[in-house]
Amino acid sequence: MSDCLFCKISLKKIPSRIVYEDESVLAFEDINPQAPVHVLVIPKKHIPTALELTEDDNALIGHLFQTANRIAKEKGIENRGFRLVMNTNSESGQSVYHIHLHLLGGRLMHWPPG
Ligand code: AMP
Ligand code: ZN
């Protein structure tokens, strides 16, 4: 998608602080971190929201979570705990319509979220 911010980041047309990359996913530091660890994990494939996921994406979504786990371990927060969030549509606060998993950690998380 030519006009998608995260497609541009995945194509390196816009710089980001990359944490992990392979053929199907990219992880980079959130530009406006909400916790000491705030990494976004995205598929390179453009999928606007979780609602557009199909059976064909099952392995990709599994890989997205595995990647988040890997980064949580690399950052040393796996035992303390962390939060994985995927906002969907406007009331959730989704602002970029290319799915992304927020990996948040390094501080006490509250529940319910705001
Ligand atoms: P959401 O509101 O769930 O769609 O999350 C979008 C996230 O993208 C927000 O946490 C933003 O801070 C983050 N963001 C927006 N632009 C950039 C950028 N250029 N590089 C890194 N993160 C970004
Ligand atoms: Zn995109």
Side-chain angles (χ1 to χ4, degrees):
M1 281 280 162
S2 57
D3 210 28
C4 169
L5 175 64
F6 286 177
C7 282
K8 287 178 184 161
I9 285 178
S10 111
L11 292 168
K12 320 280 169 57
K13 291 180 177 167
I14 291 177
S16 68
R17 291 169 57 202
I18 294 173
V19 176
Y20 175 84
E21 179 173 20
D22 64 24
E23 64 286 350
S24 60
V25 304
L26 182 75
F28 52 96
E29 304 280 356
D30 196 292
I31 205 167
N32 182 23
Q34 301 302 310
V37 174
H38 190 171
V39 173
L40 301 176
V41 189
I42 70 168
K44 291 188 171 177
K45 175 184 177 185
H46 180 83
I47 302 170
T49 82
L51 291 164
E52 281 77 40
L53 289 168
T54 72
E55 292 273 327
D56 289 344
D57 300 313
N58 286 355
L60 179 61
I61 292 306
H63 186 46
L64 216 61
F65 276 81
Q66 296 289 351
T67 301
N69 287 344
R70 173 193 183 124
I71 296 165
K73 289 175 189 165
E74 282 172 7
K75 301 268 188 188
I77 57 167
E78 76 275 26
N79 292 327
R80 293 170 64 187
F82 56 91
R83 188 170 288 173
L84 299 176
V85 174
M86 186 176 287
N87 293 320
T88 301
N89 279 339
S90 59
E91 282 200 358
S92 75
Q94 185 175 5
S95 60
V96 179
Y97 281 76
H98 177 133
I99 61 167
H100 47 281
L101 209 47
H102 293 258
L103 164 60
L104 294 150
R107 68 166 170 82
L108 183 64
M109 296 286 156
H110 301 286
W111 194 263

mmCIF file of all heavy atoms in Angstrom, residues 5-6 9 14-16 28-32 38 40 87 93-96 100 102, ligand 1:
data_model
loop_
_atom_site.group_PDB
_atom_site.id
_atom_site.type_symbol
_atom_site.label_atom_id
_atom_site.label_comp_id
_atom_site.label_asym_id
_atom_site.label_seq_id
_atom_site.Cartn_x
_atom_site.Cartn_y
_atom_site.Cartn_z
ATOM 1 N N LEU A 5 1.944 4.204 6.239
ATOM 2 C CA LEU A 5 3.158 4.530 7.002
ATOM 3 C C LEU A 5 3.996 3.283 7.319
ATOM 4 O O LEU A 5 5.219 3.283 7.141
ATOM 5 C CB LEU A 5 2.744 5.224 8.309
ATOM 6 C CG LEU A 5 3.861 5.526 9.298
ATOM 7 C CD1 LEU A 5 4.862 6.513 8.713
ATOM 8 C CD2 LEU A 5 3.283 6.054 10.603
ATOM 9 N N PHE A 6 3.336 2.220 7.765
ATOM 10 C CA PHE A 6 4.120 1.043 8.174
ATOM 11 C C PHE A 6 4.634 0.258 6.965
ATOM 12 O O PHE A 6 5.673 -0.403 7.061
ATOM 13 C CB PHE A 6 3.334 0.172 9.145
ATOM 14 C CG PHE A 6 3.234 0.779 10.532
ATOM 15 C CD1 PHE A 6 2.493 0.151 11.522
ATOM 16 C CD2 PHE A 6 3.889 1.964 10.857
ATOM 17 C CE1 PHE A 6 2.411 0.695 12.808
ATOM 18 C CE2 PHE A 6 3.806 2.522 12.132
ATOM 19 C CZ PHE A 6 3.062 1.873 13.109
ATOM 20 N N ILE A 9 7.742 2.135 6.293
ATOM 21 C CA ILE A 9 8.788 1.752 7.255
ATOM 22 C C ILE A 9 9.349 0.385 6.890
ATOM 23 O O ILE A 9 10.562 0.168 6.899
ATOM 24 C CB ILE A 9 8.228 1.792 8.693
ATOM 25 C CG1 ILE A 9 8.094 3.260 9.134
ATOM 26 C CG2 ILE A 9 9.108 1.002 9.655
ATOM 27 C CD1 ILE A 9 7.514 3.468 10.512
ATOM 28 N N ILE A 14 10.926 5.152 5.111
ATOM 29 C CA ILE A 14 10.913 5.996 6.306
ATOM 30 C C ILE A 14 11.780 5.278 7.338
ATOM 31 O O ILE A 14 11.632 4.067 7.532
ATOM 32 C CB ILE A 14 9.473 6.199 6.829
ATOM 33 C CG1 ILE A 14 8.677 7.058 5.846
ATOM 34 C CG2 ILE A 14 9.461 6.802 8.222
ATOM 35 C CD1 ILE A 14 7.235 7.266 6.228
ATOM 36 N N PRO A 15 12.696 6.018 7.984
ATOM 37 C CA PRO A 15 13.598 5.349 8.928
ATOM 38 C C PRO A 15 12.885 4.922 10.210
ATOM 39 O O PRO A 15 11.888 5.530 10.623
ATOM 40 C CB PRO A 15 14.652 6.424 9.225
ATOM 41 C CG PRO A 15 14.003 7.720 8.890
ATOM 42 C CD PRO A 15 12.974 7.451 7.829
ATOM 43 N N SER A 16 13.402 3.879 10.810
ATOM 44 C CA SER A 16 12.902 3.454 12.119
ATOM 45 C C SER A 16 14.062 2.790 12.847
ATOM 46 O O SER A 16 15.082 2.450 12.250
ATOM 47 C CB SER A 16 11.739 2.467 11.964
ATOM 48 O OG SER A 16 12.202 1.249 11.418
ATOM 49 N N PHE A 28 10.188 -2.670 15.395
ATOM 50 C CA PHE A 28 10.915 -1.405 15.560
ATOM 51 C C PHE A 28 10.383 -0.670 16.780
ATOM 52 O O PHE A 28 9.255 -0.894 17.231
ATOM 53 C CB PHE A 28 10.804 -0.530 14.295
ATOM 54 C CG PHE A 28 9.393 -0.313 13.802
ATOM 55 C CD1 PHE A 28 8.690 0.838 14.157
ATOM 56 C CD2 PHE A 28 8.761 -1.248 12.994
ATOM 57 C CE1 PHE A 28 7.386 1.044 13.714
ATOM 58 C CE2 PHE A 28 7.456 -1.055 12.540
ATOM 59 C CZ PHE A 28 6.779 0.092 12.904
ATOM 60 N N GLU A 29 11.212 0.236 17.294
ATOM 61 C CA GLU A 29 10.842 1.006 18.484
ATOM 62 C C GLU A 29 9.703 1.970 18.153
ATOM 63 O O GLU A 29 9.745 2.667 17.129
ATOM 64 C CB GLU A 29 12.045 1.821 18.989
ATOM 65 C CG GLU A 29 13.297 1.016 19.282
ATOM 66 C CD GLU A 29 13.255 0.302 20.633
ATOM 67 O OE1 GLU A 29 12.279 0.493 21.387
ATOM 68 O OE2 GLU A 29 14.197 -0.462 20.906
ATOM 69 N N ASP A 30 8.701 2.018 19.035
ATOM 70 C CA ASP A 30 7.624 2.996 18.866
ATOM 71 C C ASP A 30 8.194 4.406 19.029
ATOM 72 O O ASP A 30 9.010 4.668 19.921
ATOM 73 C CB ASP A 30 6.507 2.751 19.886
ATOM 74 C CG ASP A 30 5.218 3.470 19.516
ATOM 75 O OD1 ASP A 30 5.205 4.733 19.557
ATOM 76 O OD2 ASP A 30 4.236 2.800 19.186
ATOM 77 N N ILE A 31 7.765 5.313 18.168
ATOM 78 C CA ILE A 31 8.295 6.685 18.173
ATOM 79 C C ILE A 31 7.821 7.473 19.392
ATOM 80 O O ILE A 31 8.443 8.477 19.773
ATOM 81 C CB ILE A 31 7.890 7.390 16.852
ATOM 82 C CG1 ILE A 31 8.856 8.504 16.514
ATOM 83 C CG2 ILE A 31 6.455 7.880 16.890
ATOM 84 C CD1 ILE A 31 8.698 9.035 15.085
ATOM 85 N N ASN A 32 6.757 7.017 20.013
ATOM 86 C CA ASN A 32 6.177 7.706 21.178
ATOM 87 C C ASN A 32 5.942 6.679 22.294
ATOM 88 O O ASN A 32 4.800 6.308 22.584
ATOM 89 C CB ASN A 32 4.869 8.390 20.757
ATOM 90 C CG ASN A 32 4.233 9.164 21.882
ATOM 91 O OD1 ASN A 32 4.899 9.564 22.847
ATOM 92 N ND2 ASN A 32 2.928 9.365 21.800
ATOM 93 N N HIS A 38 8.771 -0.418 24.396
ATOM 94 C CA HIS A 38 7.588 -0.264 23.544
ATOM 95 C C HIS A 38 8.036 -0.492 22.099
ATOM 96 O O HIS A 38 8.571 0.401 21.439
ATOM 97 C CB HIS A 38 6.955 1.118 23.698
ATOM 98 C CG HIS A 38 5.605 1.231 23.030
ATOM 99 N ND1 HIS A 38 4.784 2.324 23.192
ATOM 100 C CD2 HIS A 38 4.929 0.392 22.198
ATOM 101 C CE1 HIS A 38 3.675 2.158 22.500
ATOM 102 N NE2 HIS A 38 3.746 0.991 21.866
ATOM 103 N N LEU A 40 6.970 -2.145 18.264
ATOM 104 C CA LEU A 40 5.877 -2.533 17.369
ATOM 105 C C LEU A 40 6.357 -3.677 16.492
ATOM 106 O O LEU A 40 7.449 -3.603 15.909
ATOM 107 C CB LEU A 40 5.466 -1.348 16.491
ATOM 108 C CG LEU A 40 5.005 -0.098 17.242
ATOM 109 C CD1 LEU A 40 4.726 1.045 16.261
ATOM 110 C CD2 LEU A 40 3.767 -0.378 18.093
ATOM 111 N N ASN A 87 -4.642 -2.920 18.643
ATOM 112 C CA ASN A 87 -5.844 -2.099 18.575
ATOM 113 C C ASN A 87 -6.557 -2.326 17.242
ATOM 114 O O ASN A 87 -5.904 -2.510 16.206
ATOM 115 C CB ASN A 87 -5.467 -0.621 18.725
ATOM 116 C CG ASN A 87 -4.931 -0.313 20.115
ATOM 117 O OD1 ASN A 87 -5.439 -0.826 21.106
ATOM 118 N ND2 ASN A 87 -3.901 0.528 20.185
ATOM 119 N N GLY A 93 -8.433 3.069 19.570
ATOM 120 C CA GLY A 93 -7.292 3.965 19.449
ATOM 121 C C GLY A 93 -6.389 3.638 18.279
ATOM 122 O O GLY A 93 -5.314 4.222 18.153
ATOM 123 N N GLN A 94 -6.806 2.699 17.407
ATOM 124 C CA GLN A 94 -5.953 2.395 16.253
ATOM 125 C C GLN A 94 -5.777 3.643 15.403
ATOM 126 O O GLN A 94 -6.755 4.298 15.026
ATOM 127 C CB GLN A 94 -6.559 1.268 15.392
ATOM 128 C CG GLN A 94 -5.620 0.867 14.249
ATOM 129 C CD GLN A 94 -6.109 -0.329 13.433
ATOM 130 O OE1 GLN A 94 -7.213 -0.833 13.647
ATOM 131 N NE2 GLN A 94 -5.290 -0.775 12.495
ATOM 132 N N SER A 95 -4.521 3.984 15.141
ATOM 133 C CA SER A 95 -4.237 5.177 14.345
ATOM 134 C C SER A 95 -3.492 4.851 13.061
ATOM 135 O O SER A 95 -3.519 5.643 12.122
ATOM 136 C CB SER A 95 -3.426 6.191 15.169
ATOM 137 O OG SER A 95 -2.206 5.623 15.588
ATOM 138 N N VAL A 96 -2.850 3.701 13.004
ATOM 139 C CA VAL A 96 -2.162 3.279 11.783
ATOM 140 C C VAL A 96 -2.842 2.002 11.313
ATOM 141 O O VAL A 96 -2.878 0.998 12.045
ATOM 142 C CB VAL A 96 -0.656 3.032 12.026
ATOM 143 C CG1 VAL A 96 0.013 2.564 10.733
ATOM 144 C CG2 VAL A 96 0.024 4.295 12.554
ATOM 145 N N HIS A 100 -0.366 -4.143 13.777
ATOM 146 C CA HIS A 100 0.874 -4.125 14.543
ATOM 147 C C HIS A 100 0.579 -4.573 15.961
ATOM 148 O O HIS A 100 -0.447 -4.219 16.541
ATOM 149 C CB HIS A 100 1.495 -2.718 14.551
ATOM 150 C CG HIS A 100 0.532 -1.622 14.847
ATOM 151 N ND1 HIS A 100 -0.343 -1.122 13.899
ATOM 152 C CD2 HIS A 100 0.274 -0.928 15.979
ATOM 153 C CE1 HIS A 100 -1.080 -0.177 14.435
ATOM 154 N NE2 HIS A 100 -0.738 -0.038 15.708
ATOM 155 N N HIS A 102 1.682 -4.204 19.665
ATOM 156 C CA HIS A 102 2.459 -3.403 20.610
ATOM 157 C C HIS A 102 3.034 -4.351 21.652
ATOM 158 O O HIS A 102 2.276 -5.082 22.307
ATOM 159 C CB HIS A 102 1.574 -2.401 21.352
ATOM 160 C CG HIS A 102 0.978 -1.313 20.522
ATOM 161 N ND1 HIS A 102 1.482 -0.024 20.507
ATOM 162 C CD2 HIS A 102 -0.102 -1.300 19.703
ATOM 163 C CE1 HIS A 102 0.729 0.732 19.722
ATOM 164 N NE2 HIS A 102 -0.237 -0.014 19.222
HETATM 165 P P1 AMP B 1 -2.065 2.415 17.123
HETATM 166 O O1 AMP B 1 -2.550 3.678 17.754
HETATM 167 O O2 AMP B 1 -2.405 1.153 17.861
HETATM 168 O O3 AMP B 1 -2.465 2.346 15.655
HETATM 169 O O4 AMP B 1 -0.478 2.486 17.186
HETATM 170 C C1 AMP B 1 0.272 3.217 16.287
HETATM 171 C C2 AMP B 1 1.607 3.420 16.933
HETATM 172 O O5 AMP B 1 2.530 3.816 15.937
HETATM 173 C C3 AMP B 1 1.623 4.518 17.992
HETATM 174 O O6 AMP B 1 2.033 3.968 19.241
HETATM 175 C C4 AMP B 1 2.628 5.538 17.457
HETATM 176 O O7 AMP B 1 3.414 6.130 18.462
HETATM 177 C C5 AMP B 1 3.443 4.690 16.512
HETATM 178 N N1 AMP B 1 4.085 5.406 15.429
HETATM 179 C C6 AMP B 1 3.537 6.331 14.618
HETATM 180 N N2 AMP B 1 4.440 6.746 13.699
HETATM 181 C C7 AMP B 1 5.588 6.052 13.948
HETATM 182 C C8 AMP B 1 6.882 6.034 13.355
HETATM 183 N N3 AMP B 1 7.183 6.806 12.311
HETATM 184 N N4 AMP B 1 7.816 5.210 13.871
HETATM 185 C C9 AMP B 1 7.520 4.435 14.938
HETATM 186 N N5 AMP B 1 6.311 4.386 15.530
HETATM 187 C C10 AMP B 1 5.356 5.196 15.051
#
